[in-house]
Amino acid sequence: MLALSAHGILPTVDYAIFADTGWEPAAVYAHLDRLEKEVAAPAVIPLLRVSSGNIRHDALDPNHRFASMPLYILNQDGKQGMTRRQCTGEYKIKPIKKQVRALLGYPHPQRIPDGVFVEQWVGISTDEFHRAKDADVRYMRNRHPLIELGWSRDDCVRYLTSLGLADTPKSSCLGCPFHGNAQWRHIRDTSPAEWDDVVAFDAAIRQGNARANASGNPLLGQAYLHRSRLPLDQAPIDHITAAERAARQPQLDDDTDPEALEEGVVDGCSPWTCRGETEPAQDGFGLAS
C-alpha cells in the first residue's frame, strides 16, 4: 500500500506507521530502512516507527507486566493448551493508537471530539476479505484499499516484484509461536545468531511467566514456542510425513493442520489481521496469576 500510494496508484497518504515489537528479524529492519529510503522519502511520506517496548525483554523481566504471547503449554496432567494472545494488542495496536492520537493533537487521556478521525488503511487482500473490519474506536476509520482494487495476495507479490521488492520478508517476532516449520528452518539455516536467540528464549520460558515466578505462583505447566511442545532445538521442524503432505489444503487455521504446521501464519504479524485467534486453556504462561 505504501508503494501504491507513493507511485500515485492510490492517493498520497500523510503517514505510514510501523509498530515495532523490538524482536523482528534483521531482514525486516533492513527492508524497512530500504522502503523508507527508496519508496517513502521520495514521495515525502513520513514513515513513523512506534513501540511499546521490547517483547523479548519484557517476557523475561519479572518486574514488567507482560502481555502474553500465544505459547504452547504442556500441563502437569499431560493435557495441552495455549496461553492467551495479548501481544498484538499491546505491542502493535496500542502504540499505533497512541501515535494516531498524537497526530490528531489529542494525546491520552484527552477526549477526541466527535467528527475528528483518521482514515486508516489496512492491508487485507481479497484472499482474506472476511477479516476486513471496522476500527474499534471512533477516531480511526478503517479502509481496505487492496480489496477496493480487487487485488489478491498474488497481485501484491507481482506488483512488489515489478518494483524490485520480491524479497519482501514477513513481519513477525523472531520467536512467534505461529511460525510454521518452514519459518523455523529458515531462521536456523540462514541466521545462526537469530536461531541461538530463539532457542535461548524458548528455554527461558519453559518455567513460565517470569513475573509470576518472582511472586511465588505455582507452576501449572511448561511453555514452548513450537506446537510439538518440545524444546525448539529438538522439535521436528525438518519432518513432514507423507500423510501430512497429502492432506494439505490451500488455507488452514487449525492447530493440527499440516499446512499450518509447515507454513505457519501466511501473512506474518499485522495489527488487525493476525490469524492466530485462539481460546486459551489457561492464562499466564500456564501459571496461576
Side-chain angles (χ1 to χ4, degrees):
M1 291 189 302
L2 175 61
L4 288 169
S5 174
H7 296 146
I9 300 172
L10 291 173
T12 303
V13 293
D14 297 305
Y15 300 94
I17 301 177
F18 176 75
D20 184 7
T21 66
W23 200 24
E24 294 271 355
V28 169
Y29 293 118
H31 182 73
L32 187 63
D33 291 340
R34 182 185 175 192
L35 284 180
E36 185 171 28
K37 179 181 179 181
E38 299 180 10
V39 179
V44 197
I45 299 174
L47 198 161
L48 309 179
R49 308 182 192 212
V50 299
S51 177
S52 287
N54 184 301
I55 191 172
R56 189 193 193 284
H57 295 167
D58 293 348
L60 302 180
D61 182 358
N63 297 313
H64 191 279
R65 183 193 68 80
F66 177 60
S68 68
M69 300 165 62
L71 302 171
Y72 298 97
I73 300 298
L74 184 62
N75 294 315
Q76 289 182 342
D77 61 3
K79 293 182 179 179
Q80 298 181 348
M82 274 189 96
T83 55
R84 180 171 52 184
R85 178 178 64 89
Q86 300 172 311
C87 48
T88 300
E90 181 70 18
Y91 290 91
K92 293 283 189 177
I93 296 176
K94 182 178 177 180
I96 289 175
K97 286 181 174 178
K98 182 178 180 180
Q99 179 66 75
V100 166
R101 277 181 157 272
L103 293 174
L104 289 173
Y106 296 94
H108 183 78
Q110 294 184 41
R111 179 184 178 277
I112 299 178
D114 293 341
V116 176
F117 64 92
V118 299
E119 179 181 275
Q120 173 179 251
W121 293 2
V122 182
I124 298 175
S125 62
T126 56
D127 309 79
E128 295 193 314
F129 70 91
H130 57 286
R131 296 185 180 277
K133 300 176 182 178
D134 293 331
D136 60 354
V137 290
R138 290 184 299 176
Y139 61 87
M140 299 168 77
R141 297 186 183 178
N142 286 352
R143 181 179 172 186
H144 305 88
L146 298 178
I147 292 177
E148 295 171 16
L149 291 172
W151 278 29
S152 67
R153 180 180 179 83
D154 288 342
D155 292 321
C156 296
V157 171
R158 279 192 290 271
Y159 179 62
L160 290 171
T161 300
S162 74
L163 300 177
L165 297 171
D167 58 348
T168 297
K170 290 182 181 180
S171 171
S172 62
C173 289
L174 274 170
C176 179
F178 292 139
H179 285 342
N181 285 341
Q183 291 160 288
W184 289 126
R185 288 196 303 272
H186 178 76
I187 297 172
R188 181 195 64 190
D189 298 342
T190 65
S191 181
E194 291 183 334
W195 176 249
D196 289 345
D197 183 40
V198 292
V199 167
F201 179 81
D202 175 71
I205 62 171
R206 193 79 67 244
Q207 299 305 313
N209 186 304
R211 184 167 182 174
N213 290 345
S215 301
N217 290 18
L219 181 67
L220 301 180
Q222 293 184 317
Y224 298 85
L225 288 181
H226 194 269
R227 67 188 65 209
S228 65
R229 294 166 177 84
L230 290 171
L232 187 56
D233 56 354
Q234 300 173 31
I237 65 174
D238 289 305
H239 179 64
I240 299 293
T241 67
E244 287 172 338
R245 197 173 290 113
R248 286 182 178 180
Q249 297 296 325
Q251 182 175 337
L252 299 157
D253 290 318
D254 187 82
D255 180 47
T256 61
D257 199 293
E259 183 78 6
L261 179 65
E262 174 67 2
E263 298 299 335
V265 176
V266 174
D267 293 323
C269 184
S270 175
W272 284 271
T273 61
C274 180
R275 292 207 286 167
E277 303 291 349
T278 183
E279 290 298 320
Q282 53 185 233
D283 293 337
F285 284 33
L287 299 170
S289 59

